[in-house]
Amino acid sequence: MISIYAVTIRMATAASRFAFLILASKLMATSEFGTYGLALSYVALFAPWLGLEFYIFSQRQALSSDGTTPIEISAKQVKFNLLSFIVFLPVIAITLIANDFAVTITVLLVTLIFFEYLSQELSRILVFLLKPVAATLVIFARNGIWPIFGIYLLLYNFELSSAQMFIVAGCLGGAFACICGGWFIFRHAFKLLKYSSLTLDWIKRGLKEVRPFIASAIAFKLLELQDRFVLEHYHGTEQFAAYFLLATLAGGIQLVLGSAVGQIWGPRMIRAFRQGDHAEYIRSRKNWILMYFTFGSIASISAIVIIHPTLEIIGKPEFLANLNLFYVLLAAQLTCVLAEFWQVELYARDLDHWIPISAIVALVGAVTGSILLIPTYAGLGAAIASL
């Protein structure tokens, strides 16, 4: 039942976001839509690892049964995240300016990255506290509400519709998600935020433990996005716009499987294995596999059925001409979600060192494929490289 609630909320989130993207790709100039997609790609690149994967250390410490409560550890983690923002957000801003983003857009993107990461971290804490529905509601607040405002602008105030305005809307959505997530977690524990001490020793122990995960997080995110940046470099914003739209639509399957599978059974697998509950571990493992193939099959068939009519509705020949890219990108997303299962297995068994090794090997292969294929085959080369 929890899986059904989580999937329903996640599907509502995906429907809102994808309806906005489809309408934006139809009504906005292709180059403007491509610019917006490029900005979001930089947000997706920087936001996930802003907190140096400290949530992994926090989860392990909570499972160690040393007397520290999960909510107290979560409070320490939030404090550490605030410290990391002070250090890394200026670096990200300099990087964006160096890549020819205007100062105004850079400020907005840094703000969006801040809220994206913080809301993501709050949803992770809720998953760890075995509150997957609440975690999914935070995700809906972050990604499902503001696109409705974007749809309104596109339909009724098109003169206000621009990449910059939609980034502002994303910032407001992220801020609202942070408020919701903070309320879910700390409404009974405000004092812990005040009195939980963040020590240098705790930070050092955390950094030592999460080093392989930092490397793997950066490698996996580059693996996911490098094809976009290479494609935009060689073929420009308009070609990138079609690829961004199709990749985002294909990525919807990861949204569905993330809440139906990963957020439900991943933490349970880890907890059961660490606590020596072999029967529960096997049961969670089987359910993970069953749910993956069940929801994966339903989502894949649905996506294949609706993609062509969707591109017909958009009505831009440059998008419809790239339809074959969608099938390759869909296969890449299914492979990516399946790979997450093995990451959970390695993580539960303390075989962490294999995660960054596999990520780096995959990244080298993908970058090599992109460099070789994209200059000649454009979007199709990018899709194949991502697979």
Side-chain angles (χ1 to χ4, degrees):
M1 186 60 70
I2 291 176
S3 294
I4 294 174
Y5 287 148
V7 170
T8 301
I9 297 169
R10 186 63 76 95
M11 288 181 68
T13 305
S16 172
R17 184 179 180 185
F18 293 154
F20 163 72
L21 284 175
I22 290 167
L23 192 61
S25 64
K26 178 180 178 64
L27 298 179
M28 295 176 70
T30 301
S31 59
E32 177 77 4
F33 182 73
T35 299
Y36 176 63
L38 184 63
L40 290 189
S41 297
Y42 276 102
V43 172
L45 175 64
F46 290 120
W49 55 268
L50 188 59
L52 299 178
E53 301 298 284
F54 242 72
Y55 76 96
I56 297 173
F57 172 61
S58 299
Q59 290 179 2
R60 288 188 170 182
Q61 191 178 34
L63 290 171
S64 66
S65 301
D66 64 352
T68 307
T69 63
I71 194 67
E72 186 175 356
I73 292 172
S74 298
K76 287 185 178 181
Q77 184 185 331
V78 170
K79 287 186 176 182
F80 174 80
N81 288 338
L82 295 176
L83 180 63
S84 70
F85 296 153
I86 296 173
V87 175
F88 290 111
L89 287 178
V91 176
I92 293 173
I94 293 171
T95 303
L96 292 172
I97 291 174
N99 281 275
D100 298 326
F101 283 96
V103 174
T104 302
I105 296 294
T106 296
V107 172
L108 290 174
L109 288 178
V110 169
T111 304
L112 181 57
I113 289 169
F114 169 79
F115 286 126
E116 280 282 309
Y117 176 77
L118 187 56
S119 58
Q120 173 184 274
E121 202 69 10
L122 291 171
S123 67
R124 282 172 173 170
I125 293 172
L126 286 166
V127 169
F128 176 65
L129 297 175
L130 299 181
K131 302 291 183 182
V133 175
T136 310
L137 284 171
V138 171
I139 294 172
F140 177 73
R142 184 181 78 198
N143 291 328
I145 295 178
W146 73 261
I148 298 173
F149 173 70
I151 291 172
Y152 169 80
L153 288 181
L154 287 166
L155 291 177
Y156 300 106
N157 288 279
F158 186 73
E159 66 277 3
L160 297 178
S161 301
S162 65
Q164 181 171 322
M165 179 60 72
F166 294 142
I167 293 171
V168 171
C171 291
L172 295 176
F176 180 63
C178 291
I179 293 171
C180 293
W183 182 83
F184 277 129
I185 294 171
F186 300 117
R187 63 185 185 277
H188 300 305
F190 286 111
K191 290 184 179 179
L192 288 177
L193 281 177
K194 182 177 180 180
Y195 296 111
S196 297
S197 59
L198 180 65
T199 64
L200 183 60
D201 178 67
W202 189 83
I203 294 175
K204 287 181 178 179
R205 286 191 294 117
L207 289 174
K208 182 178 180 181
E209 185 160 337
V210 302
R211 278 183 301 183
F213 297 103
I214 297 172
S216 61
I218 295 173
F220 277 124
K221 190 49 64 174
L222 287 172
L223 177 64
E224 176 186 346
L225 298 171
Q226 53 81 29
D227 52 336
R228 301 185 184 188
F229 297 121
V230 177
L231 178 64
E232 194 275 336
H233 173 75
Y234 280 106
H235 295 280
T237 306
E238 293 198 3
Q239 179 67 38
F240 172 82
Y243 188 83
F244 168 73
L245 175 66
L246 293 170
T248 304
L249 294 176
I253 197 167
Q254 194 169 13
L255 290 174
V256 173
L257 293 179
S259 43
V261 181
Q263 288 193 3
I264 305 297
W265 299 109
R268 296 185 181 187
M269 285 174 58
I270 295 169
R271 186 183 296 271
F273 189 90
R274 295 287 176 81
Q275 295 177 348
D277 190 346
H278 187 69
E280 175 62 22
Y281 167 73
I282 294 297
R283 187 181 75 86
S284 298
R285 196 173 188 267
K286 288 181 178 179
N287 284 329
W288 199 106
I289 296 171
L290 175 63
M291 298 290 279
Y292 170 82
F293 283 103
T294 300
F295 285 104
S297 299
I298 294 172
S300 298
I301 293 171
S302 301
I304 291 171
V305 169
I306 67 174
I307 184 60
H308 190 276
T310 299
L311 295 182
E312 290 281 4
I313 291 172
I314 292 172
K316 291 187 176 180
E318 60 268 33
F319 289 173
L320 194 57
N322 288 285
L323 175 61
N324 289 336
L325 302 183
F326 179 79
Y327 305 117
V328 181
L329 291 166
L330 186 64
Q333 289 294 327
L334 288 169
T335 304
C336 180
V337 175
L338 184 59
E340 291 177 2
F341 171 79
W342 299 111
Q343 292 178 44
V344 172
E345 285 277 350
L346 292 171
Y347 174 70
R349 297 170 184 269
D350 285 328
L351 297 174
D352 306 336
H353 61 281
W354 287 107
I355 296 177
I357 291 174
S358 63
I360 292 170
V361 170
L363 176 61
V364 171
V367 171
T368 302
S370 293
I371 293 173
L372 293 176
L373 296 175
I374 289 177
T376 301
Y377 300 104
L380 181 60
I384 294 173
S386 70
L387 180 62

